[in-house]
Amino acid sequence: MSDRALAEQLNQLEPNLTWEQIVQKQMDKGLSGDEIYQAIIESSRRSRKSVNKELGLD
């Protein structure tokens, strides 16, 4: 992100999950094995709605 001040603000307000948290989130949805990794790949292609809203994009 080129706007470093905004990037830092987002890091404070909307921190990224750790790998373990991301995997656990998928497991909590009932996924297992390769399903977990496929869901992570698919979700990596989407932006977070809360961030879009904060930036006035939605």
Side-chain angles (χ1 to χ4, degrees), residues 3-54:
D3 184 339
R4 296 312 309 153
L6 182 55
E8 184 56 37
Q9 180 182 1
L10 286 173
N11 283 335
Q12 294 289 324
L13 299 174
E14 296 280 344
N16 290 321
L17 299 176
T18 65
W19 178 253
E20 290 78 15
Q21 291 170 321
I22 293 169
V23 170
Q24 186 62 52
K25 184 176 178 181
Q26 300 306 321
M27 290 172 65
D28 291 346
K29 292 179 182 179
L31 301 179
S32 63
D34 288 343
E35 294 173 322
I36 292 171
Y37 303 107
Q38 187 62 39
I40 292 170
I41 291 167
E42 289 172 11
S43 70
S44 73
R45 297 178 183 147
R46 295 188 302 267
S47 59
R48 286 186 276 174
K49 291 180 183 182
S50 60
V51 173
N52 287 349
K53 184 177 180 181
E54 181 72 26

